[in-house]
Amino acid sequence: MDVHLTDYLDWDCCGRGAFVHAVPQIFGKGAGNEIDRPKIPFDRREKMEKEKVLVSACLLGENCKYDGKNNYSSRVLSYLEDKEIIAVCPEVMGGLSVPRACVELKNGVAVNKNGEDVDGYFRAGVKKVLEKIEGKEISMAVLQPRSPSCGTKQVYDGSFTGRLIPGEGMLAKALRQRGIKVVDASDL
């Protein structure tokens, strides 16, 4: 009888190949793993991959906000526990420093509190995020509420008075236009 170990290759919980059935199959009962599992030939079994989720880095505790702080959310982290996380901060990726002047969208243009147009940095950051995820199957993006980059439902109106208006940040809009589901972190 010809036995090929790859006929009994299985995937463990981490996606690594393991010969979990080979010993009992080749040498008989009592010779190894006795767990009753389906024996699926390797060439017909697909590797189980974790769901990929894009996440605002500040939600994970990264100090990348304009004020040098973060928006750490244990609720977000708990939700992402079994998922592959792709953390991004489009503002930092676009070249803005931490800390930096607060930015709001005024008629769709990113302007800081000092009246400086920083739109180019924001657009560069969005472009870098899109390049980073190109070719990846992203199931969703969990984004920071009200952010000029990541807001999914509301953004500040550009008057720097704390007034919110319906709208979305530049990254949220770009992701949605590409068919990626965007989720406000407060909705988890």
Side-chain angles (χ1 to χ4, degrees):
M1 165 173 113
D2 284 341
V3 176
H4 300 282
L5 293 179
T6 56
D7 290 342
Y8 298 99
L9 184 65
D10 199 357
W11 294 98
D12 69 7
C13 65
C14 299
R16 297 176 300 233
F19 292 104
V20 295
H21 308 299
V23 174
Q25 291 295 321
I26 296 168
F27 300 106
K29 285 209 171 275
N33 187 349
E34 297 293 327
I35 298 172
D36 212 14
R37 298 183 195 172
K39 282 90 180 153
I40 301 171
F42 174 67
D43 60 345
R44 286 193 243 153
R45 180 132 182 184
E46 290 185 30
K47 181 179 174 183
M48 299 293 290
E49 289 189 22
K50 287 184 176 182
E51 176 182 359
K52 291 178 180 72
V53 179
L54 187 76
V55 184
S56 296
C58 62
L59 294 170
L60 303 174
E62 183 72 29
N63 293 327
C64 56
K65 281 181 54 178
Y66 73 94
D67 60 4
K69 297 179 182 176
N70 64 68
N71 293 313
Y72 176 77
S73 169
S74 59
R75 184 173 45 184
V76 168
L77 208 55
S78 177
Y79 175 78
L80 297 170
E81 191 173 281
D82 61 342
K83 295 163 181 60
E84 181 179 330
I85 299 168
I86 301 170
V88 297
C89 178
E91 296 167 26
V92 172
M93 291 172 74
L96 291 173
S97 64
V98 178
R100 57 188 170 273
C102 182
V103 175
E104 294 186 3
L105 297 179
K106 188 171 188 174
N107 300 317
V109 176
V111 178
N112 72 19
K113 193 171 185 168
N114 302 325
E116 300 167 326
D117 182 333
V118 292
D119 200 67
Y121 292 104
F122 274 68
R123 295 191 189 282
V126 169
K127 182 179 178 192
K128 286 185 179 184
V129 170
L130 296 176
E131 288 170 355
K132 181 175 183 170
I133 64 171
E134 189 170 337
K136 295 181 178 159
E137 290 187 36
I138 306 296
S139 63
M140 71 169 58
V142 178
L143 303 175
Q144 170 60 30
R146 301 173 302 279
S147 158
S149 292
C150 299
T152 62
K153 300 180 208 174
Q154 296 178 309
V155 292
Y156 292 102
D157 71 352
S159 66
F160 296 93
T161 61
R163 184 170 172 259
L164 290 166
I165 58 172
E168 56 193 344
M170 290 183 180
L171 177 62
K173 182 176 182 177
L175 294 170
R176 187 183 48 76
Q177 288 174 339
R178 283 159 181 77
I180 296 173
K181 178 181 176 181
V182 294
V183 176
D184 190 300
S186 64
D187 291 338
L188 292 180

